């Protein structure tokens, strides 16, 4: 089986999944999706929790991974009888949402769709991240006063307006 590998809603490469008598052999080849490159792992979406396929390594300007998964591992993940539905790269096993949330702020909402901006959303907060170098432009610049710099990334944590109102009320 050949399938696309997704990162933040975009296809970045492919994975070859070959069933063997002992389990499965996996070969992953992806473009490097962003700079600086976070520690990304490949996951397979299954009927249960995502299955950690492995940690691809940069090689020749690409992310590559060759791995064998045992029958026992596949059975525990619910992949013994049914192949994974899809594959994605993630730092934490959670697939990035593809539809940006609304922050309630027009400037921030416009930044959510910018190339190079990654985001995660919780119930009342949205976190935006992008690569940051002090001598180069960065996508979150229109909101730079709200950003902090952490390990080469500009990070903006935003509490949605409705949540801020509830938190401020006595």
């Amino acid at each position: 089986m050949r399938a696309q590998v997704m990162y933040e809603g975009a296809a970045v490469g492919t994975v070859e999944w070959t069933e063997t008598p002992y389990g499965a052999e996996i070969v992953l080849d992806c473009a490097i999706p962003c700079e600086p490159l976070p520690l990304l792992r490949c996951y397979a979406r299954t009927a249960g929790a995502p299955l950690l396929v492995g940690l691809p390594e940069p090689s020749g300007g690409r992310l590559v991974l060759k791995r064998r998964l045992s029958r026992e591992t596949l059975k525990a993940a619910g992949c013994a009888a049914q192949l994974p539905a899809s594959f994605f790269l993630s730092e934490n096993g959670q697939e990035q949402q593809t539809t940006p949330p609304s922050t309630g702020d027009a400037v921030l909402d416009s930044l959510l769709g910018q190339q190079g901006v990654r985001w995660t959303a919780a119930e009342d907060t949205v976190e935006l991240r992008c690569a940051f170098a002090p001598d180069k432009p960065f996508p979150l610049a229109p909101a730079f006063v709200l950003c902090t710099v952490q390990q080469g990334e500009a990070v903006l944590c935003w509490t949605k307006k409705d949540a801020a109102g509830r938190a401020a009320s006595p």
Side-chain angles (χ1 to χ4, degrees):
M1 167 185 76
R2 183 182 194 128
Q4 288 186 331
V5 178
M6 306 298 286
Y7 178 71
E8 294 185 352
V12 293
T14 60
V15 65
E16 292 282 339
W17 179 286
T18 306
E19 292 189 59
T20 69
Y22 305 105
E25 290 183 11
I26 294 95
V27 177
L28 175 126
D29 178 49
C30 293
I32 294 179
C34 58
E35 292 291 338
L37 181 63
L39 187 60
L40 296 175
R41 294 165 180 84
C42 179
Y43 293 88
R45 189 181 312 131
T46 66
L51 166 66
L52 175 61
V53 174
L55 178 66
E57 65 180 81
S59 176
R62 311 267 308 159
L63 289 177
V64 296
L65 171 69
K66 292 181 182 179
R67 171 113 196 256
R68 291 185 179 145
L69 296 175
S70 69
R71 279 185 169 207
E72 292 78 22
T73 300
L74 297 175
K75 185 177 179 181
C79 295
Q82 184 177 0
L83 294 174
S86 63
F87 298 85
F88 61 95
L89 298 177
S90 172
E91 292 180 78
N92 58 12
Q94 296 179 353
E95 190 168 8
Q96 181 74 34
Q97 299 171 359
T98 57
T99 304
S102 172
T103 64
D105 181 89
V107 172
L108 293 181
D109 287 345
S110 70
L111 295 175
L112 285 167
Q114 295 291 320
Q115 184 174 0
V117 174
R118 299 183 319 277
W119 56 268
T120 55
E123 184 177 330
D124 294 333
T125 61
V126 177
E127 181 180 273
L128 293 86
R129 293 177 169 267
C130 72
F132 177 81
D135 60 339
K136 295 182 181 172
F138 65 107
L140 294 178
F144 75 95
V145 297
L146 301 173
C147 295
T148 60
V149 176
Q150 301 172 4
Q151 301 173 344
E153 289 188 314
V155 180
L156 189 157
C157 293
W158 180 259
T159 300
K160 295 178 186 177
K161 286 182 181 179
D162 295 341
R166 286 194 308 269
S169 62

